[in-house]
Amino acid sequence: MTIKLPDVIAIYFAADKSDNAQAISECFTPDAIVIDEGNTYTGRDAIRQWMANASTQYSYSVEPFALSEADGRTVVTSHLVGNFPGSPVDLRYLFLLDGDRIAALEIVP
């Protein structure tokens, strides 16, 4: 199923697919926050490092398949398959957008 993602979210997933941590970090506002697996990453440098670590620790693919809105956030549900514990899994990516950048992202089951 193909869904139409907001531009910056589409760029985020394309950069993730190509393991480009720098491009991912540039999708965010300078003081953005990411919450993933109980950890919080604040600012582009921390977000870039988070993605760089994730892409070296695990091999995975992510395929967004549903899009909705909840509490002012854009919710993208994606199917992840890889060599990480619990694979495969569907995760919800809760994006808070600020103009053409991501101000916050929380990734939850």
Side-chain angles (χ1 to χ4, degrees):
M1 175 178 172
T2 302
I3 56 174
K4 174 67 174 135
L5 298 172
D7 289 344
V8 71
I9 295 174
I11 293 167
Y12 168 91
F13 281 110
D16 188 18
K17 186 175 277 191
S18 65
D19 294 330
N20 190 335
Q22 181 63 38
I24 288 173
S25 71
E26 291 170 4
C27 293
F28 290 84
T29 62
D31 57 348
I33 296 171
V34 171
I35 301 171
D36 183 34
E37 296 184 297
N39 297 305
T40 301
Y41 307 91
T42 304
R44 286 182 179 154
D45 287 341
I47 292 168
R48 181 185 45 73
Q49 191 61 47
W50 159 69
M51 279 310 301
N53 288 344
S55 65
T56 58
Q57 190 173 15
Y58 301 112
S59 296
Y60 63 91
S61 64
V62 58
E63 185 64 40
F65 67 87
L67 177 68
S68 62
E69 296 285 329
D71 299 323
R73 298 189 288 183
T74 302
V75 181
V76 179
T77 306
S78 299
H79 188 68
L80 274 74
V81 177
N83 65 346
F84 56 88
S87 176
V89 64
D90 289 341
L91 295 178
R92 291 179 299 138
Y93 291 68
L94 296 94
F95 292 94
L96 178 62
L97 302 181
D98 182 2
D100 64 349
R101 294 284 181 258
I102 302 165
L105 169 60
E106 183 175 4
I107 303 171
V108 297

